[in-house]
Amino acid sequence: MSILNKILTAFRGGAREVGESIVDANGTRIFEQEIHDSKTHLQKAKHDLTDVMAKQMQSTREVNRLKASVSEHEDYATQALDKGDESLALEIAEKIATLDADLAQQESALTTYSGHVERLKELVRKTERQIKDYERQLSMVKTTESVQKATAAITDNFAGSNSRLVGAKESLERIKKKQQDFDDRLKAAEQLQDETVDKSLEDKMQAAGIGETKDTAASILERLKKK
Amino acid sequence: MNTQDIAIRFSELNSYQGFSFDCQLIPGDTDVLQVVVSDYEEIPVYISITETQILCISYLLSEDEIVQEKRGEMMELMLEINIPMPLSSFSKIGDKYVIFGALMAKSNFEDVVHEVITLAENSVEAISALTDYLK
């Protein structure tokens, strides 16, 4: 069963009570132990792998050396035959036979090492994936637990402080009202700003004698004199 | 970063993008940090931290606030607006419907602040979208 299914089953099966543990602490510990064991296995597999890879390299070098040696001695044997030294040629041929036997042995060892390397690499890959998977599952369980505990803490806090969780609609109305208040204040401020700008412009125009000029005592007297 | 670190950083932060914050540690089995964003005081954001993630949660409404006949329709709407709603998703804890955002455990403080603001804004958007289904 997948871990999500386990969590869901725990929810449906009465663990709905806030704060109640989804997977008991023991279960989590076993899980953690499994991850720890897998990591130990992985470490060992990697160690084995480096060992075998070293042997594989040595073996490859040895195979190459023997191959070179065989062809070298074949060359010597041919030279001995050319010189008509049959008995030396035979001696060299015996040496080649020994080298051939060694080569065959080394080649078979190399095949075995290469096989080991392949298997160990596969094991390392699988173990790494397994650990990742365990960790992901453990994280799901722990997150679920953490969220439940957090909810319990929050609920207790509300109960303790005598404040209640306000309903969604009421919260929304309060927030909207606050935003409206803010908007209104902003608008009022803008209006005030506009009015101030208008006013100062008017003042300037007045001073320059442009637009609607107010009657001054002097201008009134002037007008009266003209009548 | 643990909840205490975040609490300290929030208290040092006077304002961010015009918002101010008020935070309070809630003791319990798991440390929870309550962050109140200015202008969104009614819907606090709760932060808790696990090994892998920083969880920011806001509680939207309780089961008993929903008009029962419209419950299915409401759930469908929640699924539909889940993706368009930036950075937050719906969930349910016990009988409470919530929205939440999850951050990587190694996120920096700016990311957390941004998440908290987004969550507060999204909460209001979400409740507005759901009012037709509430009593």
Side-chain angles (χ1 to χ4, degrees):
Chain A
M1 190 160 51
S2 86
I3 196 74
L4 261 186
N5 272 327
K6 275 186 199 159
I7 292 173
L8 277 179
T9 310
F11 267 132
R12 306 248 184 276
R16 285 193 101 111
E17 216 27 51
V18 172
E20 201 172 318
S21 197
I22 290 295
V23 175
D24 59 86
N26 204 26
T28 313
R29 263 202 302 280
I30 292 171
F31 223 3
E32 277 170 343
Q33 186 60 45
E34 267 180 73
I35 291 174
H36 178 80
D37 290 351
S38 299
K39 280 186 174 165
T40 315
H41 286 152
L42 180 63
Q43 210 53 46
K44 193 181 174 305
K46 278 186 175 169
H47 189 264
D48 290 352
L49 181 60
T50 41
D51 269 1
V52 180
M53 279 172 87
K55 282 184 183 148
Q56 186 190 27
M57 276 190 275
Q58 284 163 9
S59 205
T60 310
R61 264 202 304 274
E62 193 58 17
V63 164
N64 289 339
R65 191 189 64 81
L66 286 168
K67 275 183 181 162
S69 192
V70 167
S71 81
E72 200 182 339
H73 281 85
E74 278 171 354
D75 203 28
Y76 293 154
T78 318
Q79 283 178 37
L81 282 176
D82 285 349
K83 287 195 172 138
D85 193 341
E86 192 85 13
S87 76
L88 182 61
L90 190 64
E91 220 173 297
I92 296 171
E94 271 163 15
K95 173 76 177 166
I96 292 173
T98 326
L99 287 172
D100 266 340
D102 283 355
L103 181 61
Q105 205 181 357
Q106 273 309 326
E107 276 179 332
S108 114
L110 181 59
T111 315
T112 313
Y113 290 143
S114 302
H116 270 165
V117 167
E118 275 314 302
R119 271 198 302 282
L120 281 170
K121 276 187 176 167
E122 184 60 25
L123 181 67
V124 167
R125 263 198 299 275
K126 275 189 180 154
T127 313
E128 276 173 344
R129 260 205 303 264
Q130 178 82 70
I131 291 170
K132 265 244 151 338
D133 195 41
Y134 277 153
E135 283 177 339
R136 188 181 51 83
Q137 293 189 28
L138 184 64
S139 147
M140 279 206 253
V141 173
K142 284 196 163 172
T143 303
T144 312
E145 272 186 333
S146 165
V147 167
Q148 287 204 318
K149 281 179 184 163
T151 308
I154 293 160
T155 316
D156 287 352
N157 187 57
F158 270 108
S161 67
N162 268 339
S163 52
R164 62 185 189 93
L165 277 163
V166 185
K169 262 190 172 171
E170 203 182 326
S171 300
L172 182 66
E173 271 157 28
R174 286 193 199 174
I175 290 169
K176 284 210 165 145
K177 190 177 172 305
K178 258 186 289 189
Q179 283 174 344
Q180 190 61 52
D181 283 353
F182 178 75
D183 288 349
D184 289 349
R185 275 207 304 276
L186 199 67
K187 241 178 244 159
E190 273 169 8
Q191 235 163 19
L192 200 64
Q193 173 84 16
D194 288 351
E195 278 167 16
T196 322
V197 169
D198 282 355
K199 181 78 176 59
S200 66
L201 183 62
E202 247 170 58
D203 285 351
K204 274 186 204 155
M205 281 165 46
Q206 190 101 49
I210 299 167
E212 242 180 77
T213 46
K214 275 201 193 116
D215 288 341
T216 59
S219 68
I220 291 170
L221 205 61
E222 194 78 13
R223 208 168 63 221
L224 288 175
K225 276 185 189 163
K226 279 183 184 166
K227 275 191 179 171
Chain B
M1 242 184 342
N2 57 33
T3 36
Q4 277 89 353
D5 292 333
I6 295 181
I8 292 166
R9 297 291 298 274
F10 264 117
S11 60
E12 285 169 353
L13 186 72
N14 287 322
S15 94
Y16 183 89
Q17 293 177 351
F19 293 100
S20 60
F21 307 89
D22 189 16
C23 64
Q24 184 195 342
L25 262 178
I26 298 174
D29 275 349
T30 300
D31 275 342
V32 182
L33 184 66
Q34 174 186 284
V35 183
V36 171
V37 183
S38 56
D39 296 336
Y40 297 98
E41 285 86 352
E42 284 73 12
I43 309 175
V45 176
Y46 294 95
I47 302 176
S48 58
I49 299 178
T50 69
E51 279 167 39
T52 46
Q53 51 187 353
I54 301 173
L55 272 176
C56 303
I57 300 176
S58 280
Y59 293 78
L60 297 180
L61 47 106
S62 309
E63 193 68 69
D64 59 16
E65 291 177 58
I66 302 165
V67 178
Q68 280 307 303
E69 305 82 72
K70 292 184 175 176
R71 196 169 170 267
E73 210 181 308
M74 187 189 87
M75 302 250 191
E76 210 172 316
L77 180 84
M78 286 169 107
L79 279 179
E80 280 166 358
I81 59 179
N82 225 3
I83 292 181
M85 190 165 58
L87 296 175
S88 315
S89 313
F90 287 110
S91 184
K92 200 183 172 203
I93 305 171
D95 70 335
K96 303 265 192 300
Y97 289 81
V98 306
I99 68 170
F100 75 100
L103 299 167
M104 270 193 307
K106 52 184 165 200
S107 303
N108 60 38
F109 179 67
E110 289 252 316
D111 295 332
V112 177
V113 177
H114 186 240
E115 180 65 39
V116 165
I117 294 170
T118 311
L119 206 54
E121 290 172 334
N122 283 345
S123 299
V124 175
E125 288 289 335
I127 300 176
S128 301
L130 299 175
T131 39
D132 286 351
Y133 305 96
L134 303 181
K135 282 174 191 165

